[in-house]
Amino acid sequence: MIVTKLKPLKEILNILKEVDKIFLIGCGGCAEACETGGEPQVRQLEQELKEKGKQITGWVVIDSLCNKALVGMRLAYRLREISKADGLLVLSCGVGVQAVAATVDKLTFPALDTISLGGFQGIWPSSERCYQCGECILYLTGGICPLTACAKHLLNGSCGGSDKGKCEVHPDRDCAWYLIYERLKKVGRLDILRKIAQPKNYNKMEASQEIRTSTYWALEFEEAKDESA
Amino acid sequence: MSLHESIVSGKFVVTSEIGPPKGVNIERALKEADFLKGKVEAVNVTDIQSSVMKVGSLAVCHLLKQRGIEPVFQLTCRDRNRLALQSDLLSAWILGIKNVLIITGDHPTLGDHPDSLPVFDLDSVQLLQVVSGLNQGKDMMGNDLEGKPNFFPGAVANPGADPLELQIIKLEKKVQAGAKFIQTQTVYDPAQFETFMKAAEHIDVPILAGIVLLKSAGMARYMNKNVAGVSVPDHLIKRMSQAENRKQESIDITIELIKQLKPLCQGIHLMPLGWDKLVPEILKRAFS
Ligand code: SF4
Ligand code: SF4
């Protein structure tokens, strides 16, 4: 069970500052169970964004966004609406956002913060992985997570060891920042890379009391308690 | 003149570097530094370079200071979280250390303690912002400091990085975050350095070209294979392999490089890796 939390509307609007036409993607898996990314939440966010003057070109809820093959298939039917959008706003865990970003050549923005993967790493965890940092910054990085893809989890670009696109730690692996650079260049948004990314708040990795007691996650703990009782 | 004053005055400056020992016999490192005294503007002290556990940069900087040598405190993001980084910076200041060079740091797996936890709580751009904040009398959280430092922060760049644009974007951010001078990774190819300097034309802080003294053809080949962005041209490798006196050849090559790089930048950062004794002759002949 992946636990996610909706970012405050203010933060979402800030992330979407330069994006007017948006396609929304929800997740019918964990995010729906958390009541953060199912159809009701997508519809509500659609409403709220419209009220703030954003244009919504369409929306879809896909069963498990962390299943990359499925994402490609399901989005293929919606290409017309997607192509009209300037960006995709995804209501899922970090794995789902990265699966979407890797599938579509559009800027992809996270609407949720991922707090816990609860031992489950998503169906497509090999290259799109999430560290459950609780403060999703995929909107700064072209939908590639530097906390997992960069061996030093840097936030402002490659280190001195990056060599022709490869990582100093694993020369057989791509440098995350090379991938981020290439993707942002492809969508014409290198300006995002030019902004300084601020230090992370690692405190957000800890789930708040509110989340601990109000989600399905807590339910699992309760069940475990009942069983052991 | 301090390094700060020299750099700000627009003077062509030369800095150099020593590495602390693994163990407590500090004499060799200090002897190396003594060769540099009065010959260069300031001496960098590396911070657990290549992730090989050594004596700390801070303590050795303090010893240099006592000997009348101006130190540059190298500080990496690898081993300390934001609390320790800020605390060590304040400690440096009360020991009279003014220059800090902010570096990401090699990953621990490249060194002799590959099992250690890589910290990287902040990255180099963020740490430069922190130094700028301390200079304003504030810690990272905006709390007031009781007495503020006045660091002269520097940063590094790799002229051979590929893709270059990615490197330049990060360099822009380092300068925006407060870097006042740049020391580069070692350069052996003046044409490549010129390309880098063109791409960095809009960066208005002084850039010091780095040169690691070539010690042998084997070392050159090793660097070509293993160090990102470093390419020693074949003709230099050939000269080193055919040299009767490798030290003399290294001196000659370094002097030629300095002369070629001098018109392109505002200084040289010499990394002798233990051959510090050669630095006085190199500088005497390069600048006569
Ligand atoms: S930035 Fe990375 S680690 Fe943090 S929530 Fe997003 S995908 Fe997960
Ligand atoms: S080479 Fe790239 S992925 Fe590897 S540590 Fe450096 S910046 Fe991160």
Side-chain angles (χ1 to χ4, degrees), chain A residues 149-152 154 157-159 161-162 166-169 174-177:
Chain A
C150 167
K152 299 177 186 171
L154 305 178
S158 65
C159 72
S162 173
K166 296 295 171 194
C167 175
E168 81 169 18
V169 183
D174 292 324
C175 164
W177 283 97

Side-chain angles (χ1 to χ4, degrees), chain A residues 93-95 97-98 110 112-115 129-138 141 144-148 200:
Chain A
C93 72
V95 182
V97 181
Q98 293 185 72
L112 310 183
D113 288 323
T114 306
I115 293 154
R129 284 178 301 168
C130 172
Y131 190 63
Q132 311 132 60
C133 76
E135 185 188 41
C136 195
I137 52 150
L138 287 170
T141 55
I144 296 166
C145 177
L147 279 100
T148 53
K200 283 203 77 66

Side-chain angles (χ1 to χ4, degrees), chain B residues 5 25-26 29 32 79 109 171 175 180 204 218 244 251 288:
Chain B
E5 288 162 344
N25 295 342
I26 191 68
E32 282 170 13
D79 308 307
T109 50
L171 186 55
V175 172
K180 297 279 185 275
D204 61 354
E244 269 172 36
I251 292 175
S288 63

Side-chain angles (χ1 to χ4, degrees), chain B residues 117-234:
Chain B
L117 173 74
V119 179
F120 302 106
D121 183 17
L122 302 178
D123 66 24
S124 53
V125 174
Q126 295 162 347
L127 183 51
L128 280 159
Q129 281 185 317
V130 168
V131 175
S132 302
L134 295 177
N135 281 351
Q136 304 286 323
K138 299 275 187 198
D139 73 10
M140 257 187 90
M141 298 306 284
N143 300 310
D144 287 325
L145 302 180
E146 201 178 313
K148 58 184 182 189
N150 186 20
F151 287 114
F152 185 53
V156 295
N158 189 347
D162 179 12
L164 187 55
E165 189 182 22
L166 178 56
Q167 179 75 178
I168 297 288
I169 291 175
K170 186 148 189 194
L171 186 55
E172 286 167 3
K173 292 205 263 192
K174 287 178 177 178
V175 172
Q176 199 189 327
K180 297 279 185 275
F181 66 98
I182 307 297
Q183 291 173 327
T184 78
Q185 173 63 283
T186 182
V187 177
Y188 298 106
D189 180 350
Q192 185 191 56
F193 187 69
E194 198 173 351
T195 309
F196 166 75
M197 288 305 287
K198 277 223 179 77
E201 220 163 31
H202 57 293
I203 304 243
D204 61 354
V205 304
I207 294 177
L208 280 59
I211 306 176
V212 167
L213 263 59
L214 281 180
K215 291 178 156 181
S216 65
M219 170 202 187
R221 280 192 284 261
Y222 177 85
M223 286 197 291
N224 279 350
K225 193 160 165 259
N226 297 303
V227 185
V230 175
S231 51
V232 189
D234 288 340

Side-chain angles (χ1 to χ4, degrees), chain B residues 6 8 34 48 71 146-147 176 199 211 238 245 257:
Chain B
S6 299
V8 169
D34 285 340
I48 316 188
E146 201 178 313
Q176 199 189 327
I211 306 176
K238 201 164 152 209
N245 182 336
L257 280 170

